[in-house]
Amino acid sequence: RTACPCSPRQQTTLYQSARWKRTRQNLLALFPICQICDVALSHEVHHVTPHRGNPAVFWSSELLAVCKPCHASITRQGG
């Protein structure tokens, strides 16, 4: 794994942007049920390719609408 190419502040800025908030809201509306377990309500969005703060990867990575437990499980596994 490579280190994050940006500071934690820059990474936080990606998640606070209006563009991300719209993207997230639209994905959660499109997929209200978790795309992993297909049971629970989705409340989080997962980047399939870990972006590690890289804006190019952040915006181009495939996204999944997921429930909190599934997102935690994926993240623990390094995904």
Side-chain angles (χ1 to χ4, degrees):
R1 290 187 173 175
T2 58
C4 176
C6 66
S7 71
R9 182 171 184 225
Q10 288 171 311
Q11 188 167 338
T12 299
T13 301
L14 290 171
Y15 284 107
Q16 292 175 346
S17 70
R19 180 180 174 190
W20 171 251
K21 289 177 182 180
R22 280 191 312 273
T23 299
R24 181 183 183 280
Q25 182 179 25
N26 290 339
L27 189 70
L28 293 175
L30 190 59
F31 298 99
I33 303 299
C34 178
Q35 293 182 273
I36 301 296
C37 69
D38 204 29
V39 175
L41 293 176
S42 57
H43 292 286
E44 299 186 3
V45 174
H46 174 69
H47 286 82
V48 174
T49 302
H51 60 84
R52 292 176 180 57
N54 181 321
V57 178
F58 184 90
W59 294 115
S60 65
S61 176
E62 179 184 354
L63 302 173
L64 295 175
V66 295
C67 65
K68 188 172 182 133
C70 285
H71 197 203
S73 177
I74 294 167
T75 303
R76 268 195 310 275
Q77 295 172 21

